[in-house]
Amino acid sequence: MEINYSWTGLQRRAWEQCNCFARVGTYANYIGFGNPVALGRTAGAGLFFEPLIRYGHRTYFSVRASVGLTYVTRIYDPITNPTNRHVSLPVSSMIGLSVNGYYQLNSRFHLTVSGNYNHISNGGTRQPNQGLNLPSASLGLTYLTRTSPQPDTQLWTRTPLTRRWLARVLLLGSVRVLPQTATTPEMALPLFGLKLLAGYRLSSAHALSGGVEFVDDQYFREQVKQWRYVNQQYRQATLLAGYEFWHGRYLFTAHMGWNVVRPQPYKPATYQKYGLLYRLNNGLTFGFDVKAFGDDTKGFQLAGGMSF
């Protein structure tokens, strides 16, 4: 079950955030996993951003992204609950994505049908942390506390693209947990990094960019020790090249990385990096990165800095 409260901005300033009308709001939910002994139940709350498609028509659609915290009643315990290797912290993060269809019954009530995908994880701050994936379908009702006429966006011409070259400086930070071994305890270890990017905007929505990333990863340092690499440093430098999609103030980035500075025995030398960023008028930029090799996620990193 879920209840949410949101606001739809119909002003031009709100529309320019994503070149669309969007709902911004908060949610609270309750989920039973169907396995009360091992997994228990969860209740949580968070924020969401929901761009609307065909808004103003009787049938319209949306895509919603959400992030929040959730409390899980049954977590991993090596003695009392050893089979639950999905969740090991009672308070974990929940991220979600949903595709929604709306049908206007009248000006106030809209029928809602949704396909949802949620993921519960502690971000690697405690092991084990396989995470919980929660695909679902839902049926609901949306009530508009007030109605307003939709502005004619055809009169809102986009600001012409005057600057094609871009530059970005981002600081990266994360924490990863090294599992306990026979000789070492479980350790939560920090990662710090610096990413420098430059690129060229092909259009208002598409850009090519590349750069370099420097990382000091204490988790990786401990791994290098355990692998017994001889005379090998653990710090890394990576060359990046890829594509960016700009949607208003939101930026989706996808880069291939070549790990040119790394312990020589370590493989693979290449990986992918995906990012979701939000850029303010003054250039302040923040969001997160995901590092992956194929379908194997290597970690999440918070990012913050400036765009020029």
Side-chain angles (χ1 to χ4, degrees):
M1 297 184 294
E2 178 177 292
I3 184 170
N4 63 65
Y5 178 82
S6 63
W7 171 79
T8 306
L10 298 178
Q11 301 85 1
R12 179 169 181 171
R13 182 178 179 182
W15 182 82
E16 288 178 343
Q17 302 298 309
C18 70
N19 295 329
C20 64
F21 294 114
R23 291 185 177 130
V24 179
T26 182
Y27 73 87
N29 62 17
Y30 169 87
I31 300 172
F33 299 122
N35 188 343
V37 176
L39 298 178
R41 303 169 180 83
T42 187
L47 305 173
F48 67 85
F49 175 73
E50 184 179 357
L52 304 174
I53 305 168
R54 283 174 46 91
Y55 185 65
H57 295 76
R58 184 155 195 174
T59 301
Y60 63 102
F61 306 91
S62 73
V63 177
R64 189 181 97 166
S66 62
V67 60
L69 296 175
T70 194
Y71 175 79
V72 183
T73 60
R74 295 283 293 164
I75 63 173
Y76 169 81
D77 185 278
I79 298 175
T80 62
N81 196 16
T83 61
N84 179 7
R85 302 188 65 82
H86 300 278
V87 183
S88 54
L89 277 178
V91 178
S92 295
S93 64
M94 176 183 283
I95 58 174
L97 185 69
S98 66
V99 178
N100 313 287
Y102 295 91
Y103 180 77
Q104 297 189 33
L105 301 174
N106 55 45
S107 61
R108 296 279 186 174
F109 287 95
H110 298 181
L111 184 67
T112 308
V113 179
S114 304
N116 315 287
Y117 183 86
N118 291 288
H119 177 72
I120 296 175
S121 171
N122 64 43
T125 56
R126 177 68 62 84
Q127 297 292 339
N129 182 48
Q130 294 178 358
L132 274 174
N133 297 315
L134 307 171
S136 63
S138 59
L139 179 67
L141 196 64
T142 298
Y143 174 72
L144 276 64
T145 58
R146 64 176 183 174
T147 59
S148 302
Q150 178 181 333
D152 185 1
T153 58
Q154 293 182 351
L155 301 176
W156 296 349
T157 57
R158 294 184 182 181
T159 304
L161 185 61
T162 57
R163 294 182 58 185
R164 296 252 178 200
W165 292 99
L166 66 97
R168 191 176 304 122
V169 179
L170 294 174
L171 297 176
L172 307 174
S174 182
V175 174
R176 297 182 68 188
V177 173
L178 196 68
Q180 180 179 353
T181 67
T183 58
T184 61
E186 179 181 280
M187 293 181 284
L189 301 168
L191 173 150
F192 300 101
L194 174 67
K195 182 192 285 189
L196 306 173
L197 289 173
Y200 183 77
R201 296 185 67 177
L202 303 173
S203 68
S204 60
H206 307 283
L208 300 177
S209 65
V212 63
E213 180 177 287
F214 305 97
V215 171
D216 186 312
D217 186 349
Q218 296 297 311
Y219 174 95
F220 191 62
R221 180 184 184 182
E222 292 299 321
Q223 282 191 319
V224 169
K225 288 181 181 179
Q226 293 182 10
W227 294 334
R228 301 187 185 278
Y229 290 167
V230 180
N231 299 323
Q232 295 288 334
Q233 55 79 39
Y234 68 94
R235 294 182 178 90
Q236 302 171 71
T238 301
L239 295 178
L240 299 169
Y243 164 79
E244 300 185 4
F245 177 71
W246 293 41
H247 195 65
R249 300 189 190 280
Y250 293 87
L251 286 70
F252 172 77
T253 63
H255 292 100
M256 284 296 299
W258 178 28
N259 217 179
V260 292
V261 177
R262 69 185 192 283
Q264 290 307 307
Y266 178 71
K267 303 293 181 181
T270 60
Y271 59 82
Q272 305 93 48
K273 240 192 160 187
Y274 306 100
L276 181 62
L277 303 171
Y278 184 80
R279 180 177 51 87
L280 298 175
N281 271 337
N282 59 6
L284 183 64
T285 304
F286 55 90
F288 65 88
D289 274 356
V290 179
K291 181 179 178 180
F293 176 68
D295 59 356
D296 183 10
T297 300
K298 295 294 186 180
F300 295 83
Q301 300 161 11
L302 296 178
M306 294 293 294
S307 295
F308 306 96

